[in-house]
Amino acid sequence: MKILHTSDWHVGKVLKGQSRIGEHRDALAQLVEVAQAESPDLVIVAGDLYDTAAPTPEATRLVTRALSALRRTGAQVVAIGGNHDNGPALDALRPWAEAAGVALRGSVRDNPAEHVIDGTTAGGEAWRLVALPFLSQRYAVRAVEMYELTAAEAVQTYADHVGRVLGRLTESFDEPDRVHLVTGHLTVVGARTGGGEREAHTVLNYAVPASVFPGGAHYVALGHLHRAQQVLGPCHIRYSGSPLPIDFGEEENRPSVSIVEVSTRTAARVREVPITAAAPLRTVRGTLAELAKVDDRTAWLRVYVREAPRAGLREEVQELLPRALEVRIDPEMLPTSSATRAAQRAGRSPRELFGDYLTSRGQADDGVRELFDELYEEATK
């Protein structure tokens, strides 16, 4: 069977005040084109469909239309909730999803059978997919309790709970006549983060070892880390990565989707198909003269200016580079001297102290000093 594995769409993402809804629309349209060209039997969307738990109507329309378009390619479609998604809100969309032929699992349900999805390809290959949405610490304990695996003890770790839940859901993976699949939204120990993951959910307490996945799984389709990569483990474990760079920490990532071919008799073979529709993210450094030579009208830019700080510098940079979303002074241009000490401040006027501060920051703009004088005089009348 052939699988298209994608994740971490983050529809609704705003980058430094810049809406990226148009880029998301283009990236998801390209993803649908890949599905049309590849004709997969199954599409897996491994969480973080949205960037926020309260998506806008526009973001909701984009996601539901993309899922519907993927289903219209003839593929079965399964999507799960991630840590950025509102799991119960996704579950509320299940009547629509079922009518559209999409299996949507937003949060862990009381009945474990709801997370085991069976299907058969047009060629007659039977498959079984365990679909596990993102589990927070609290809900990992609750899931263990309601599946009656064991009494949840306070000393147990998050990884213990996730492992027990997956063990319960994959009990049937010893059957020889099916392709056994898992999808989840979590961090696996040893995987490389990609810059855009929410740090609170990628620290050690939220990471699980690859051993939580059964050796009988033919392919594990993960979301949460935005860098496409395979993870060493007892089976084929892979992150598809995000189809567009989410923030400037991901400018070196190569957005793509994963095309997987696997059967009960052959190991998973994976190809990355690039998704190029969204604007790249790029960091540039230089003086104003050097920045004036930057010729990039497609990327969103983060700019480190190698000039002494002064009023109006940001505006000058943005006039040169209209696609600069973030403008900072290069840290190398900031003085590191500790000349201004508390002992030196004694007996000095507010104007003198402010002048010392400007000097310590490499700021020599008389206009700023004059503005301070005006504001100080008004505040002390």
Side-chain angles (χ1 to χ4, degrees), residues 47-60:
D48 278 356
L49 286 80
Y50 299 105
D51 191 61
T52 172
T56 64
E58 187 177 21
T60 301

Side-chain angles (χ1 to χ4, degrees), residues 60-230:
T60 301
R61 280 193 299 271
L62 182 51
V63 166
T64 53
R65 288 174 179 175
L67 293 174
S68 295
L70 289 169
R71 181 69 184 96
R72 286 196 297 272
T73 67
Q76 299 294 311
V77 179
V78 178
I80 62 172
N83 61 297
H84 282 246
D85 297 316
N86 184 327
L90 285 181
D91 286 332
L93 288 174
R94 283 182 63 170
W96 162 82
E98 290 168 4
V102 174
L104 186 60
R105 301 293 184 265
S107 54
V108 175
R109 307 299 289 268
D110 294 347
N111 181 4
E114 289 199 42
H115 297 283
V116 181
I117 302 167
D118 291 332
T120 304
T121 70
E125 188 85 77
W127 54 268
R128 172 165 291 169
L129 171 65
V130 166
L132 182 65
F134 175 76
L135 277 173
S136 67
Q137 288 273 15
R138 183 178 68 176
Y139 284 101
V141 175
R142 178 175 176 270
V144 170
E145 290 173 335
M146 70 188 183
Y147 289 175
E148 299 178 352
L149 300 174
T150 184
E153 300 174 358
V155 295
Q156 287 180 312
T157 66
Y158 177 77
D160 291 331
H161 297 314
V162 172
R164 289 174 184 271
V165 171
L166 281 171
R168 172 69 174 84
L169 295 175
T170 60
E171 286 176 343
S172 65
F173 272 26
D174 56 354
E175 297 177 3
D177 57 345
R178 294 179 186 272
V179 176
H180 297 124
L181 309 166
V182 177
T183 185
H185 192 87
L186 43 77
T187 303
V188 177
V189 174
R192 297 172 299 158
T193 60
E197 300 82 22
R198 184 175 289 170
E199 187 63 23
H201 290 144
T202 56
V203 295
L204 184 60
N205 286 344
Y206 266 94
V208 302
S211 59
V212 300
F213 301 108
H218 293 89
Y219 184 75
V220 176
L222 296 182
H224 190 34
L225 303 187
H226 298 170
R227 184 193 301 268
Q229 60 190 291
Q230 183 175 342

Side-chain angles (χ1 to χ4, degrees), residues 254-288:
R254 295 183 299 174
S256 64
V257 297
S258 297
I259 301 296
V260 186
E261 295 183 71
V262 63
S263 75
T264 56
R265 298 170 301 281
T266 58
R269 301 188 304 276
V270 181
R271 289 181 289 116
E272 290 183 14
V273 178
I275 300 295
T276 58
L281 304 181
R282 182 183 171 196
T283 298
V284 296
R285 289 176 166 85
T287 63
L288 285 178

Side-chain angles (χ1 to χ4, degrees), residues 287-289 291-292 294 315-323:
T287 63
L288 285 178
L291 294 174
V294 173
E315 289 74 14
E316 291 180 58
V317 172
Q318 290 179 322
E319 185 175 351
L320 290 173
L321 302 172
R323 293 181 67 85

Side-chain angles (χ1 to χ4, degrees), residues 268-352:
R269 301 188 304 276
V270 181
R271 289 181 289 116
E272 290 183 14
V273 178
I275 300 295
T276 58
L281 304 181
R282 182 183 171 196
T283 298
V284 296
R285 289 176 166 85
T287 63
L288 285 178
E290 291 167 335
L291 294 174
K293 299 176 183 177
V294 173
D295 185 15
D296 193 332
R297 302 181 183 181
T298 60
W300 295 116
L301 301 176
R302 175 173 60 180
V303 182
Y304 287 98
V305 191
R306 298 187 60 81
E307 301 268 357
R310 64 174 182 274
L313 182 58
R314 175 186 297 272
E315 289 74 14
E316 291 180 58
V317 172
Q318 290 179 322
E319 185 175 351
L320 290 173
L321 302 172
R323 293 181 67 85
L325 297 183
E326 184 176 342
V327 179
R328 298 184 179 183
I329 301 298
D330 192 312
E332 294 181 4
M333 300 301 296
L334 297 175
T336 57
S337 170
S338 57
T340 307
R341 298 292 185 184
Q344 296 173 309
R345 297 172 184 168
R348 297 175 68 80
S349 69
R351 187 179 191 282
E352 290 171 326

